[in-house]
Amino acid sequence: MEQTADQPAAQPWHIEVRDLAMAYGDRVVLSGINFTVKRGEIFIIMGGSGSGKSTLLRHMVGLIEPATGEVLYNGVSFTRADPGEREAMLRRFGILYQGGALWSSMTLAENVGLPLAQFTRLRPDEIREVVSLKLAMVGLKGFEDFYPSELSGGMRKRGGLARAIALDPEVLFFDEPSSGLDPLSARLLDDLILELRASLGATVVVVSHDLASIFAIGDGSLFLDAESGTAIAQGNPRALLEQCEDPRVHRFLTRGQEAASQARNV
Amino acid sequence: MSMQASASKAARNEIRFDYRPDSTLMIELTGSWRLGNELPAPREIERQLESDGRPRCVAFDATNLRTWDTSLVAFVARVVASCAERGIEIDRNGLPEGLKHLLKLAENEPAHAVSESGSGDRRVVYRVGKAAIEFAQSSLGLFNFTGLVVIAFARLLSGRARMRLSDLIVQVQGCSAQALGILSLISFLVGTILAFMGAVQLQQFGAAIYVADLVGIGIARDMGAMMTAIIMAGRTGAAYAAELGSMKVSDEVDALATMGISPVEFLVLPRVLALVMMMPLLCLYADFIGMLGGAAVAAGVLHISFVSYFTRTAAAVTLTTLVGGLFKATVYGVLVAIAGCWRGFEAQAGSSAVGEVTTAAVVDAIIWVVTACGLFAVVFNLLHL
Ligand SMILES: Nc1ncnc2c1ncn2[C@@H]1O[C@H](COP(=O)(O)OP(=O)(O)OP(=O)(O)O)[C@@H](O)[C@H]1O
Ligand SMILES: [Mg+2]
């Protein structure tokens, strides 16, 4: 186990999800989920509303324990790891929550600086410098001393991103990064994700139902379906659009345009 | 066979029932249907549907309808539902085009309905069982949470907990100086109330000076700690639940957890510690102010001087009594803080959640404090304290 962690290149998959089943109480939401994500890949989790995308993401970062199955990073099981190991793995994650989830009692600089203060040996003035750098990367230079309540929704999201990349994570998770943003900001965020992947070499997992962004940044993807309670397709989103036979996937990826035009013709 | 919903004013909505020979009930909709107006009583419609010549089909006539809004949609939807229950056919052709569309939208099945979403069995046995299971689960959650707090405290003692001193200071501020105003008022009043209650009885025996004993022991032993605890439950416990609840709802707690920072260590520990540290001090202060209240009554009503009152008090209230009260206050502090933090973490997404958990935190805290007070009374009695 130690060896695989030391030589990540030997492991073909960065993230591996094995036979995962998820339930809230007695109600099984998803089951039989299997997929792998290569290092440096941008992986999209898509599906209709209520299909369990956020639930899957919460399982991957350990906020909920799976009913069965496990999640592995670099070939090491995250699900079975003991608390100490798990904390070490968590430190290599960066997570952007849907609303940003900045800590409301702290300024933007304190938000981004907290992980640095907790997990590094940097001195306060060095932390301040790193924080400014990270905020500049997401276009929030000069907002260091603003509280989250004084920022707009889009700025909070970018602030959350700055916090997520504070410790130069290996894996970035995004829950609906473009929801609530205007089309242009959403586009800029996509570019930012691509740049971060290139500069940090991070693997990125994105929950999204923004088609433009799915096609623009997705390398691989997983399509969840609420009715069957499992994944019904996976692969490159553009390839899925061209080749996937399943009408549900096709309808989603074409925004139901065919169905609509059929309806008009009738 | 016609009925009018109200005095015939053109601006009001009106319905008229009209039986056609082919056993069709024609509902004629006239006037203007606005949300501000009263809707026809549902019973009226049901009576029509169940009348002797039970209609086979219901149709609408809207030729004289002037304006309409959601109120008409709601009315028609209700008629449709009543008819469906009784297996009566509905003819929608007479309805305005737009209304037909709205009705269809409202009748759309959800994409995939969840079967067991609450509205199932409402029988008493079911509800009692459900409540019992929920109570058991919530008690389990509470034990779990208390365990986490104990572990976090142990980690703090061994220097491994991630808690910031600045957070502790902020919390101490919130539950010390800022609480003094209301604490003074309440303790003073409780002191005077106790004194009045005692004075009425003791004066009859010419033992007025013993008011000092009664107030002193009563306050130092129980009332001081209990009043402080109840005030802090309303002030600080509620604030804890509201703060942590809103953090939980906006994913801020999860954001801490997924960063490898334990929310219990980072958020709960400073709050519990602050209250536990401050409660004895607040209680001591409340004791003093309460006795001052007693002295004021003694001076004003019983003409006992401050000096003799406090000499008497000093003789009556032993150090054991006083320290016992402060010990109780500390325990109440733990209870109030745990109730606030635990309820806060229980908040589920939704805007009403924070309000609900805040109320629950205060209620829990007061119940626990009063229960603990009763237990202490028994135990202290057994120990002859
Ligand atoms: N805390 C919870 N307790 C119980 N059931 C839940 C909870 N959270 C989500 N669910 C259920 O799990 C299913 C999947 O929810 P989830 O939030 O993962 O959907 P989603 O794909 O993220 O949807 P959206 O695109 O709308 O965010 C839903 O049917 C929902 O009712
Ligand atoms: Mg979601």
Side-chain angles (χ1 to χ4, degrees):
Chain A
M1 283 246 174
E2 288 285 71
Q3 260 176 347
T4 35
D6 288 342
Q7 310 163 342
Q11 226 343 297
W13 313 120
H14 193 178
I15 309 174
E16 187 175 355
V17 171
R18 274 193 206 149
D19 205 25
L20 202 63
M22 311 162 216
Y24 286 107
D26 294 336
R27 201 172 128 232
V28 177
V29 177
L30 285 172
S31 60
I33 303 292
N34 283 292
F35 63 89
T36 52
V37 182
K38 278 202 282 272
R39 185 167 295 279
E41 195 175 36
I42 295 184
F43 188 85
I44 314 268
I45 299 172
M46 54 187 173
S49 200
S51 56
K53 304 182 295 293
S54 302
T55 306
L56 175 56
L57 197 72
R58 297 169 75 79
H59 277 80
M60 292 178 71
V61 299
L63 283 171
I64 317 177
E65 294 308 313
T68 62
E70 60 181 334
V71 184
L72 296 89
Y73 293 93
N74 291 326
V76 181
S77 174
F78 177 70
T79 312
R80 309 234 153 97
D82 66 43
E85 282 174 349
R86 196 178 255 222
E87 213 188 285
M89 290 168 103
L90 277 175
R91 217 159 300 154
R92 286 185 238 137
F93 295 171
I95 302 161
L96 173 59
Y97 291 86
Q98 203 163 334
L102 291 170
W103 297 304
S104 43
S105 59
M106 303 181 204
T107 64
L108 200 48
E110 286 173 318
N111 263 283
V112 182
L114 183 72
L116 295 165
Q118 292 289 326
F119 299 118
T120 67
R121 289 171 195 283
L122 296 179
R123 279 180 285 116
D125 54 319
E126 293 167 334
I127 289 182
R128 185 95 198 163
E129 232 161 74
V130 177
V131 166
S132 295
L133 185 80
K134 299 281 174 185
L135 285 178
M137 283 171 76
V138 298
L140 283 177
K141 203 182 170 75
F143 288 94
E144 277 86 350
D145 295 322
F146 280 60
Y147 281 92
S149 56
E150 299 165 334
L151 301 175
S152 78
M155 288 159 85
R156 261 178 247 169
K157 225 162 212 181
R158 279 181 283 153
L161 181 55
R163 184 180 66 188
I165 58 173
L167 293 173
D168 296 339
E170 285 175 20
V171 194
L172 271 167
F173 296 92
F174 294 82
D175 195 352
E176 303 196 7
S178 50
S179 75
L181 296 186
D182 64 274
L184 196 61
S185 309
R187 171 74 208 287
L188 288 175
L189 194 67
D190 281 351
D191 292 346
L192 190 58
I193 293 174
L194 287 172
E195 263 170 47
L196 285 174
R197 191 253 310 252
S199 55
L200 297 173
T203 305
V204 185
V205 178
V206 187
V207 166
S208 180
H209 37 213
D210 176 1
L211 285 174
S213 137
I214 289 174
F215 291 127
I217 63 174
D219 299 320
S221 72
L222 185 74
F223 189 94
L224 301 178
D225 178 57
E227 240 149 299
S228 48
T230 185
I232 52 173
Q234 45 183 303
N236 181 290
R238 271 149 302 187
L240 281 183
L241 175 64
E242 277 157 27
Q243 292 153 13
C244 186
E245 302 280 306
D246 197 303
R248 291 165 291 188
V249 180
H250 206 255
R251 246 196 334 263
F252 183 92
L253 290 177
T254 56
R255 279 182 128 189
Q257 230 129 48
E258 256 131 82
S261 61
Q262 270 170 14
R264 263 197 299 277
N265 292 343
V266 171
Chain B
M1 194 89 210
S2 80
M3 162 259 172
Q4 296 197 332
S6 70
S8 107
K9 249 200 287 165
R12 293 280 278 117
N13 59 45
E14 279 169 32
I15 47 173
R16 272 145 52 91
F17 296 104
D18 191 7
Y19 266 103
R20 297 287 156 87
D22 54 349
S23 67
T24 297
L25 175 65
M26 179 63 78
I27 303 182
E28 197 183 327
L29 307 161
T30 57
S32 94
W33 290 67
R34 288 281 167 220
L35 278 172
N37 298 343
E38 216 173 297
L39 282 182
R43 213 147 1 102
E44 196 54 50
I45 302 145
E46 275 165 26
R47 218 172 54 217
Q48 292 293 338
L49 292 178
E50 305 206 318
S51 61
D52 307 333
R54 229 184 133 93
R56 270 215 340 264
C57 176
V58 170
F60 297 93
D61 177 3
T63 38
N64 291 324
L65 186 64
R66 285 180 50 213
T67 53
W68 58 273
D69 63 9
T70 300
S71 65
L72 183 59
V73 184
F75 170 75
V76 174
R78 200 155 60 200
V79 173
V80 170
S82 304
C83 290
E85 262 172 39
R86 295 172 177 76
I88 300 172
E89 241 178 88
I90 279 273
D91 177 2
R92 302 181 183 198
N93 284 327
L95 292 171
E97 250 345 275
L99 197 146
K100 275 193 257 179
H101 281 297
L102 286 177
L103 211 54
K104 223 169 109 197
L105 277 182
E107 285 165 353
N108 265 347
E109 293 275 323
H112 55 99
V114 181
S115 50
E116 18 79 79
S117 65
S119 65
D121 205 333
R122 290 251 177 264
R123 272 174 307 186
V124 176
V125 180
Y126 171 82
R127 281 190 308 202
V128 170
K130 193 159 179 271
I133 292 171
E134 272 165 15
F135 178 75
Q137 274 170 352
S138 112
S139 311
L140 206 66
L142 173 61
F143 282 123
N144 196 354
F145 182 78
T146 313
L148 289 178
V149 175
V150 172
I151 294 172
F153 188 68
R155 279 175 62 94
L156 180 74
L157 290 183
S158 67
R160 285 182 300 154
R162 293 192 187 283
M163 185 190 89
R164 298 190 308 175
L165 194 63
S166 58
D167 285 338
L168 180 62
I169 293 169
V170 169
Q171 294 305 331
V172 165
Q173 242 169 15
C175 62
S176 54
Q178 289 170 17
L180 285 185
I182 181 151
L183 189 61
S184 310
L185 178 71
I186 301 286
S187 331
F188 189 84
L189 288 179
V190 169
T192 58
I193 292 166
L194 278 180
F196 267 120
M197 282 180 354
V200 175
Q201 305 294 325
L202 293 170
Q203 248 179 334
Q204 293 175 2
F205 308 107
I209 185 65
Y210 286 102
V211 165
D213 294 49
L214 185 127
V215 173
I217 295 177
I219 294 252
R221 216 181 138 106
D222 278 315
M223 291 311 282
M226 183 129 107
M227 283 296 111
T228 315
I230 288 177
I231 289 166
M232 294 319 270
R235 255 191 120 261
T236 310
Y240 287 180
E243 283 164 15
L244 297 188
S246 70
M247 287 188 76
K248 179 79 199 293
V249 168
S250 59
D251 288 338
E252 290 171 49
V253 175
D254 288 345
L256 273 177
T258 51
M259 197 155 267
I261 300 174
S262 153
V264 174
E265 287 171 20
F266 197 79
L267 299 173
V268 175
L269 217 47
R271 287 176 168 80
V272 175
L273 280 181
L275 203 51
V276 167
M277 280 169 13
M278 286 303 117
M279 273 300 279
L281 298 181
L282 289 170
C283 176
L284 194 63
Y285 175 80
D287 287 353
F288 177 70
I289 299 288
M291 289 173 199
L292 214 57
V297 171
V301 180
L302 306 171
H303 309 296
I304 300 168
S305 76
F306 268 20
V307 176
S308 47
Y309 183 90
F310 275 105
T311 321
R312 188 67 224 161
T313 302
V317 180
T318 62
L319 194 62
T320 321
T321 313
L322 196 66
V323 172
L326 299 187
F327 169 73
K328 288 179 193 174
T330 314
V331 175
Y332 299 161
V334 177
L335 298 180
V336 169
I338 297 251
C341 296
W342 171 56
R343 284 298 186 179
F345 274 7
E346 291 243 297
Q348 301 286 330
S351 52
S352 65
V354 177
E356 280 163 19
V357 296
T358 308
T359 313
V362 176
V363 172
D364 282 354
I366 291 179
I367 292 175
W368 297 353
V369 164
V370 175
T371 311
C373 183
L375 288 178
F376 276 135
V378 174
V379 172
F380 276 44
N381 192 24
L382 289 178
L383 295 175
H384 301 293
L385 283 175

